Amino acid sequence: MRCMAEIADIGMTIDKKLRLTLNLQGASLVQLVQLQKDGQLDAILKKHSDKRSLDANAYYWKLLGELAKALQTSNEELHNQLLDSYGTLAEDEDGNCIIHFLPETEDYLRYKHEHYKPTGIIVEFEGVRYCKFYRIKGSSQYNTREMSRLIERACVGV
């Protein structure tokens, strides 16, 4: 279950365990009761940030299309170049950067739905050379701060 929460109270039990009371928005009482019955839970708490707006996304793609046309390149290539320079690295659930190895001959800048940042490291396996890449979050996953930065850099950085 994912929901938004505010910390209402922090305390400590007699046996020195931390106790956290949350006010939840978007949670289902039925789901919470079931989770309580299930016993121990894995919890991840992080600062809330709003998802980027559809207006910001539309503006970015309109701007990108105009820039790509002026630079005589495709929207996908320019989008990937901007993400490579100014994007946010994708992380797994433990906060580790996601790493991929792609064949050296792969033209990753033409990818439409996957975005990569090269590390400059090349490894060889069974006679094939592979480049090591960090995975970059797609702009559809950006929050308002990340999207604002991407739009700002697209305006001045290209």
Side-chain angles (χ1 to χ4, degrees):
M1 169 195 318
R2 287 180 75 95
C3 62
M4 194 164 42
E6 289 181 354
I7 297 176
D9 189 43
I10 302 172
M12 191 171 288
T13 64
I14 295 172
D15 57 349
K16 304 281 189 219
K17 291 181 183 174
L18 290 176
R19 179 177 298 264
L20 180 65
T21 305
L22 302 173
N23 294 327
L24 303 176
Q25 284 184 304
S28 157
L29 181 58
V30 172
Q31 286 179 312
L32 289 171
V33 169
Q34 183 58 50
L35 286 171
Q36 185 179 26
K37 289 178 185 175
D38 291 342
Q40 285 190 331
L41 305 173
D42 291 326
I44 298 172
L45 301 176
K46 63 180 185 173
K47 183 175 171 36
H48 172 76
S49 57
D50 291 326
K51 195 170 191 282
R52 58 109 176 110
S53 71
L54 293 177
D55 287 344
N57 189 56
Y59 174 70
Y60 171 74
W61 283 100
K62 182 175 182 349
L63 175 66
L64 189 84
E66 292 172 9
L67 287 170
K69 189 174 182 179
L71 296 170
Q72 298 180 347
T73 188
S74 72
N75 289 5
E76 287 79 19
E77 286 184 88
L78 184 57
H79 179 56
N80 281 317
Q81 288 170 358
L82 288 167
L83 290 178
D84 179 13
S85 297
Y86 312 113
T88 303
L89 296 180
E91 297 177 344
D92 63 19
E93 57 276 351
D94 294 324
N96 301 309
C97 292
I98 299 173
I99 296 172
H100 289 268
F101 289 89
L102 300 174
E104 189 176 37
T105 57
E106 196 74 25
D107 187 4
Y108 69 95
L109 288 177
R110 293 190 179 275
Y111 286 14
K112 202 172 204 169
H113 300 291
E114 295 177 0
H115 313 288
Y116 300 102
K117 181 176 188 67
T119 65
I121 296 172
I122 297 174
V123 297
E124 191 168 323
F125 180 72
E126 295 183 353
V128 179
R129 290 170 54 94
Y130 293 90
C131 297
K132 180 180 176 182
F133 291 86
Y134 291 116
R135 180 85 182 251
I136 303 172
K137 281 175 34 177
S139 60
S140 64
Q141 299 170 322
Y142 279 15
N143 60 36
T144 52
R145 182 185 50 79
E146 292 167 325
M147 194 67 184
S148 294
R149 181 172 187 260
L150 187 61
I151 290 170
E152 177 184 308
R153 299 314 305 168
C155 290
V156 298
V158 176

